Amino acid sequence: MKRTWWKEAVVYQVYWRSFFDSNGDGYGDLEGLIQKLDYIHDLGVDVIWLNPCYESPDKDNGYDISDYYRIMDKAGDMETFDRLLHEVHQRGMKLIMDLVVNHTSDQHPWFIESRSSKDNPKRDWYIWRDKPNNWRSYFTPSAWEYDEKTGQYYFHSFAVEQPDLNWENKEVREEIYKMMRFWLDKGIDGFRLDAIALLAKPDGFPDAENPYDIRYLTNNPGVHEYLQEMHDKVLKHYDIFTVGEVAFVSPEEGLKYVGEDRNELHTLFHFEVCDEMPTWDPIRFKQIQKRWYEGLWGKGWNSQFLNNHDHTRQVTRYGNDKQFRVESAKLLATLVHTLPGTPYIYQGEEIGMTGVKFDSIDDYNDIAMKNKYAEEVAKGRDPKEVLESLQLLSRDNSRTPMQWDDSEHAGFTTGTPWLKVNPNYKEINVKQALADPNSVYYYYKKLIQLRKQNPVMVYGTFCDLSENEPYIYAYTRELDGVRWLIVLNHCDSDNVYTLPEELSSASHHLLLGNYTDVKEEGTTLHMRPHEARIYALQ
């Protein structure tokens, strides 16, 4: 298998508006990130993924871009960005930027021109039709919005304020490639490509048999030709890392995006776990991991993550954030960092931050949640019930401000935070984590160091030893005669795991565990609640 720097990397995602506010306006900013770079560097990560900081009206927290060549005022300015890039590189880390090219803001000059008249030269830069079909968007009941001035509907896969670009138009593609070169020539180290599976649209936009199953928005014919052209004209000319956000994709389809012989992207985020497994389902999770390993191994590269800015914090959603928060957070970290693929850390995950349950819809910012709430209440449903049904998967669970210390607003800002801070910040914060040698933070450091020192964690083959076990997840990684065993008790109670016969004669040496008092055992391992162990086998 070809070895590359990006396969060996650990990525830390910075949702900058919630990371650290340097000027007291209530929003995190790039200067705040610069001030906290040593914290990220000390964790041991290699790559920072920065969420969109381009000029934007901020209807969808920066994913509605109105100028690809400017930094939004909330984040800072281009001088600050250039300094950030320099400081990241000075510390031996790399920086990749979120890139949104499926759609723009409706305030982008391109769209302002496009909607000005039917015969404007940029009319065809977006998708206009006389009549809408029955498709829904991710955020609204219809993917079409009527424009009174020209009497046509424009298409939007997300919010009304986010019209989709027409990728069939060569001028659009060339303008996007020009913009990508601008950032790469600045020296950034790659892109996370947002909603990249949506670029190609079905011919004729036929009505969907079930409009609520929005798979029709993704993976349509033509998307791979666009990505191959992007690779040929831009990506292959730089030593960079690319990861695509690819929804509703199977391993077979996913390989088309990341196959090493395909010349498209390096790796992808699939969402069989985060989008399609609302709560922990151990058997299904194991099946997903096995299918993706068998589909990609030796041919393409996967990503490992259980939360990000769009998905509830992993310890709340897939662990136990109350009775066993610390143990559970460490177990989930072990899972992500020892399964095949590139591990991602979402800011705050490394101190075990949890999700939230605000009392009122007014305390939430998530546009998808607020639109769904309004839609359901309009149908006559009880507002309290609707709120409770939406809380677990609200995107604001992961967007509450970073908890730096136990001072007001968790040390995130001296002003009023743009989103309420999680009330548990006095117990869960960076200051506390750095003072406790057994904290979640230091466990992450040890995991990352293990990965740097042991290629088996990166390039080792994978074998699941516990496919039908409801609580124990046990698997091996093996490379060049080195074999590791990972055993996880993903459960609130004790469990016993007996090594399979093929491993019973091997001696096992504990490399890392999330309990401090693990004793060497024979072939029967007594696992405590949410216990995780990594063994070297000999």
Side-chain angles (χ1 to χ4, degrees):
M1 178 183 295
K2 183 179 179 182
R3 301 194 177 194
T4 65
W5 67 263
W6 49 265
K7 289 178 181 176
E8 298 167 14
V10 175
V11 183
Y12 187 92
Q13 181 188 355
V14 172
Y15 193 70
W16 56 267
R17 70 187 60 228
S18 293
F19 196 59
F20 185 63
D21 173 19
S22 71
N23 60 10
D25 68 354
Y27 289 87
D29 45 50
L30 300 186
E31 177 60 40
L33 173 54
I34 292 172
Q35 292 180 22
K36 297 295 187 180
L37 281 178
D38 286 339
Y39 166 79
I40 299 174
H41 179 256
D42 289 347
L43 188 59
V45 301
D46 309 281
V47 177
I48 292 174
W49 155 25
L50 183 66
N51 282 101
C53 55
Y54 315 91
E55 182 65 39
S56 168
D58 235 11
K59 296 293 184 182
D60 186 27
N61 291 9
Y63 284 88
D64 50 319
I65 297 169
S66 56
D67 188 340
Y68 287 102
Y69 294 92
R70 288 184 57 199
I71 301 296
M72 76 165 75
D73 290 342
K74 286 175 184 172
D77 53 29
M78 192 62 80
E79 184 276 330
T80 309
F81 177 85
D82 289 341
R83 192 155 43 86
L84 168 64
L85 184 60
H86 174 76
E87 294 292 336
V88 168
H89 287 164
Q90 282 287 99
R91 289 165 175 78
M93 298 186 293
K94 297 180 184 291
L95 180 72
I96 66 172
M97 292 185 71
D98 226 318
L99 185 66
V100 188
V101 294
N102 174 71
H103 50 270
T104 69
S105 165
D106 63 353
Q107 301 303 306
H108 196 293
W110 299 345
F111 188 71
I112 292 173
E113 283 194 56
S114 181
R115 77 188 311 177
S116 66
S117 68
K118 288 184 177 180
D119 58 0
N120 185 277
K122 287 190 170 58
R123 183 67 171 184
D124 191 47
W125 283 39
Y126 294 83
I127 299 166
W128 296 91
R129 293 292 184 272
D130 291 327
K131 295 181 179 181
N133 64 6
N134 69 347
W135 292 6
R136 294 177 63 90
S137 81
Y138 274 88
F139 294 170
T140 59
S142 174
W144 300 91
E145 182 71 7
Y146 184 69
D147 184 67
E148 289 188 2
K149 184 171 183 178
T150 58
Q152 283 191 314
Y153 295 81
Y154 67 84
F155 183 77
H156 57 93
S157 295
F158 294 92
V160 167
E161 298 89 354
Q162 294 169 293
D164 280 34
L165 288 161
N166 178 17
W167 269 73
E168 290 186 1
N169 187 311
K170 185 177 180 180
E171 290 181 349
V172 169
R173 302 199 304 273
E174 290 298 334
E175 195 64 35
I176 292 296
Y177 302 153
K178 174 185 172 185
M179 176 270 297
M180 293 173 72
R181 293 185 201 102
F182 169 82
W183 289 101
L184 291 168
D185 289 342
K186 269 186 172 291
I188 71 165
D189 302 289
F191 294 110
R192 178 263 189 186
L193 295 119
D194 180 72
I196 202 66
L198 279 68
L199 299 188
K201 317 301 183 187
D203 287 341
F205 291 87
D207 275 348
E209 184 175 339
N210 176 13
Y212 288 87
D213 183 354
I214 58 173
R215 294 170 189 268
Y216 46 75
L217 295 174
T218 66
N219 305 305
N220 289 302
V223 66
H224 297 291
E225 285 75 12
Y226 293 149
L227 290 177
Q228 286 165 8
E229 181 183 79
M230 180 188 291
H231 181 273
D232 184 60
K233 295 203 170 188
V234 182
L235 303 178
K236 75 176 185 182
H237 302 287
Y238 301 86
D239 179 21
I240 58 172
F241 169 48
T242 55
V243 53
E245 181 190 35
V246 186
F248 304 125
V249 66
S250 66
E252 295 74 25
E253 183 71 25
L255 187 59
K256 296 178 183 177
Y257 287 91
V258 301
E260 294 186 357
D261 60 344
R262 295 277 300 175
N263 295 324
E264 294 188 27
L265 304 175
H266 289 135
T267 186
L268 84 165
F269 297 134
H270 73 80
F271 295 92
E272 280 201 60
V273 177
C274 283
D275 276 355
E276 302 174 37
M277 204 178 86
T279 55
W280 185 248
D281 183 339
I283 304 301
R284 185 176 182 188
F285 182 82
K286 293 175 186 182
Q287 291 169 345
I288 291 169
Q289 290 297 328
K290 184 177 180 181
R291 285 175 47 247
W292 277 90
Y293 170 74
E294 292 174 348
L296 295 190
W297 194 251
K299 297 170 284 188
W301 201 251
N302 201 1
S303 300
Q304 294 292 347
F305 68 101
L306 292 175
N307 55 192
N308 60 25
H309 65 289
D310 281 334
H311 296 93
T312 301
R313 290 193 174 277
Q314 60 188 32
V315 72
T316 293
R317 187 176 177 190
Y318 294 136
N320 182 327
D321 66 0
K322 296 178 177 64
Q323 187 180 2
F324 299 106
R325 182 187 64 86
V326 171
E327 295 85 359
S328 186
K330 292 178 180 180
L331 178 142
L332 293 169
T334 310
L335 186 70
V336 168
H337 287 254
T338 58
L339 285 169
T342 297
Y344 286 75
I345 301 168
Y346 178 66
Q347 64 183 47
E349 172 192 322
E350 76 282 1
I351 60 168
M353 281 181 63
T354 70
V356 290
K357 283 189 176 180
F358 294 139
D359 294 332
S360 168
I361 190 64
D362 296 331
D363 290 328
Y364 286 89
N365 175 271
D366 177 7
I367 187 173
M369 179 190 187
K370 292 173 86 76
N371 285 353
K372 186 66 174 176
Y373 176 87
E375 183 182 351
E376 293 301 311
V377 170
K379 293 177 182 177
R381 287 188 60 191
D382 178 69
K384 184 179 179 181
E385 290 182 2
V386 174
L387 180 63
E388 289 177 353
S389 72
L390 297 175
Q391 283 175 324
L392 176 62
L393 300 185
S394 169
R395 299 188 298 175
D396 288 343
N397 278 293
S398 56
R399 297 178 179 186
T400 56
M402 184 76 175
Q403 295 162 207
W404 292 104
D405 57 40
D406 59 1
S407 66
E408 187 178 19
H409 306 314
F412 163 71
T413 181
T414 57
T416 302
W418 72 279
L419 186 65
K420 287 175 65 174
V421 174
N422 193 316
N424 63 18
Y425 72 89
K426 288 187 179 293
E427 294 78 43
I428 305 171
N429 58 68
V430 170
K431 182 180 179 181
Q432 180 276 331
L434 294 181
D436 177 5
N438 295 317
S439 68
V440 177
Y441 176 87
Y442 288 113
Y443 190 81
Y444 268 78
K445 283 195 73 166
K446 292 173 184 175
L447 271 174
I448 294 168
Q449 195 63 29
L450 268 183
R451 197 170 193 274
K452 289 182 183 297
Q453 295 173 349
N454 297 277
V456 67
M457 270 179 84
V458 182
Y459 299 109
T461 57
F462 165 82
C463 180
D464 184 0
L465 304 175
S466 57
E467 289 184 48
N468 297 312
E469 292 275 354
Y471 305 117
I472 295 289
Y473 195 13
Y475 49 91
T476 57
R477 303 293 305 275
E478 188 168 358
L479 178 72
D480 298 334
V482 175
R483 183 164 55 166
W484 284 12
L485 170 68
I486 296 90
V487 185
L488 312 169
N489 180 31
H490 203 142
C491 180
D492 292 345
S493 58
D494 292 358
N495 274 292
V496 172
Y497 176 68
T498 301
L499 270 61
E501 187 175 344
E502 64 267 26
L503 300 183
S504 60
S505 62
S507 61
H508 46 285
H509 169 66
L510 184 69
L511 297 172
L512 183 62
N514 64 345
Y515 280 73
T516 57
D517 56 345
V518 179
K519 297 178 181 178
E520 292 295 333
E521 298 179 282
T523 58
T524 300
L525 307 181
H526 298 269
M527 305 291 291
R528 287 161 288 188
H530 298 275
E531 185 164 11
R533 302 183 194 176
I534 302 174
Y535 288 104
L537 301 177
Q538 293 178 337

